Amino acid sequence: MMLPASPGRVKLRAVPEFAQTIIAWQRRHGRRGLPWQGTRDPYRVWLSEVMLQQTQVETVIPYYGRFLDRFPDVRALAAASEEDVLRLWSGLGYYARARNLHRAARIVAAELGGRFPDTAQDLARLPGLGRSSAAAIAAFAFRRREAILDGNVRRVFARCFGIDGYTGSRAVEHRLWKIAARELPQREIGRYTQALMDLGATVCVRAAPRCDACPLAPRCVARRDGRTAQLPAPRPRKPCPERVVTWLVLMHAGRVLLERRPAPGLWGGLWAFPETEPG
């Protein structure tokens, strides 16, 4: 369908179906050679999806390799101590992910016979997996026809379909999930899922999106209306909480006293100097 041109706006051309367009793009321009690509092992897919939550690919790659060397399967991870898992995770951030990873591994090993659930609904019951991560694992490992909606994909949909508002709000998120479900292809679900991720991570980026390289440019509402910088809307600002504490550096004979921080909480489960409230 040809949309009428408006003064000062980019004219949109008719394009094939949304899913077909990005699948074809992924074959030619998608990311290649990532260590978790080309596998349908649910353990490896799950590990990568948890590590990639709120973390850049380049940061995750070395951690992913070290984890597989130390914990080659879910039973090995389940048998480890939490301290060993947190030590290997150190520097990757968002440490609740590591604790949930360990808890989930023990559930899979002890209660599920070492076999991961094969549906998004059952995967989402594991600690640390939300709806989108569970769907991605189901799509990649089990070829389930499930919709994903991580941060990058929200941005792609918000721009392409012209969705106003903060994508984390309940109303906007509901609209985006409906779009995600509507655009699912009948086949090639793994490649389609990867295409969405690749497009959001390499082309439809937050700042200075590469619209000239985007396969969705002919149908993108944000590009047509000159609103790529405004869509998606930013998270509403909240006051940043402040907390003042005093760290106690206690040394004796060349040794330093540390205590393990309670979990959950800031740096939960990690070792730090003892602290006390001022006053």
Side-chain angles (χ1 to χ4, degrees):
M1 176 180 180
M2 189 77 71
L3 296 181
S6 300
R9 292 181 176 180
V10 178
K11 185 177 180 180
L12 299 186
R13 303 189 305 275
V15 295
E17 182 186 23
F18 180 93
Q20 293 175 354
T21 300
I22 65 171
I23 286 173
W25 171 85
Q26 204 280 335
R27 287 197 182 97
R28 297 183 60 188
H29 304 292
R31 291 177 291 186
R32 300 286 189 274
L34 298 179
W36 45 84
Q37 289 180 323
T39 181
R40 292 183 61 180
D41 179 350
Y43 172 71
R44 293 178 176 235
V45 174
W46 165 69
L47 179 62
S48 69
E49 287 300 319
V50 173
M51 287 187 165
L52 287 166
Q53 292 170 354
Q54 299 177 288
T55 307
Q56 296 291 326
V57 166
E58 295 75 13
T59 303
V60 167
I61 288 175
Y63 283 88
Y64 180 78
R66 288 194 291 269
F67 252 76
L68 286 180
D69 287 342
R70 176 67 177 82
F71 311 120
D73 55 44
V74 71
R75 294 187 186 277
L77 178 57
S81 69
E82 182 179 284
E83 187 173 355
D84 285 343
V85 174
L86 288 171
R87 184 183 300 113
L88 204 57
W89 193 277
S90 180
L92 196 56
Y94 300 101
Y95 292 94
R97 292 182 299 171
R99 292 191 294 273
N100 284 330
L101 189 85
H102 192 221
R103 288 173 56 210
R106 291 189 164 179
I107 291 172
V108 172
E111 300 178 20
L112 303 178
R115 297 175 64 88
F116 278 85
D118 62 1
T119 67
Q121 182 178 9
D122 289 337
L123 283 162
R125 295 190 177 101
L126 294 176
L129 289 184
R131 180 178 175 181
S132 185
S133 295
I137 298 167
F140 286 132
F142 304 108
R143 295 299 186 260
R144 297 289 188 181
R145 189 172 175 268
E146 296 285 355
I148 66 166
L149 196 65
D150 65 15
N152 287 338
V153 176
R154 290 169 190 250
R155 185 166 58 250
V156 171
F157 286 155
R159 284 175 173 163
C160 185
F161 297 99
I163 306 300
D164 289 297
Y166 170 52
T167 61
S169 71
R170 181 172 298 180
V172 176
E173 184 178 51
H174 179 70
R175 292 185 66 189
L176 293 174
W177 273 115
K178 289 181 68 174
I179 293 172
R182 183 190 70 202
E183 300 299 336
L184 280 175
Q186 294 296 327
R187 295 177 293 181
E188 296 192 272
I189 190 64
R191 186 177 292 277
Y192 171 76
T193 302
Q194 188 65 59
L196 278 176
M197 292 178 170
D198 291 352
L199 192 64
T202 66
V203 175
C204 193
V205 293
R206 180 175 288 105
R210 298 169 52 224
C211 296
D212 58 324
C214 182
L216 299 175
R219 68 182 297 163
C220 179
V221 173
R223 177 175 180 268
R224 180 196 68 190
D225 295 348
R227 300 180 63 208
T228 55
Q230 287 76 47
L231 294 177
R235 178 195 296 269
R237 288 183 175 271
K238 292 183 179 180
C240 183
E242 294 185 1
R243 181 168 176 253
V244 178
V245 300
T246 299
W247 273 6
L248 305 177
V249 183
L250 306 176
M251 304 181 64
H252 176 70
R255 304 176 71 183
V256 180
L257 177 65
L258 300 176
E259 66 178 9
R260 194 170 189 178
R261 299 182 64 90
L266 182 64
W267 302 332
L270 302 184
W271 294 90
F273 296 119
E275 65 181 43
T276 182
E277 299 288 343

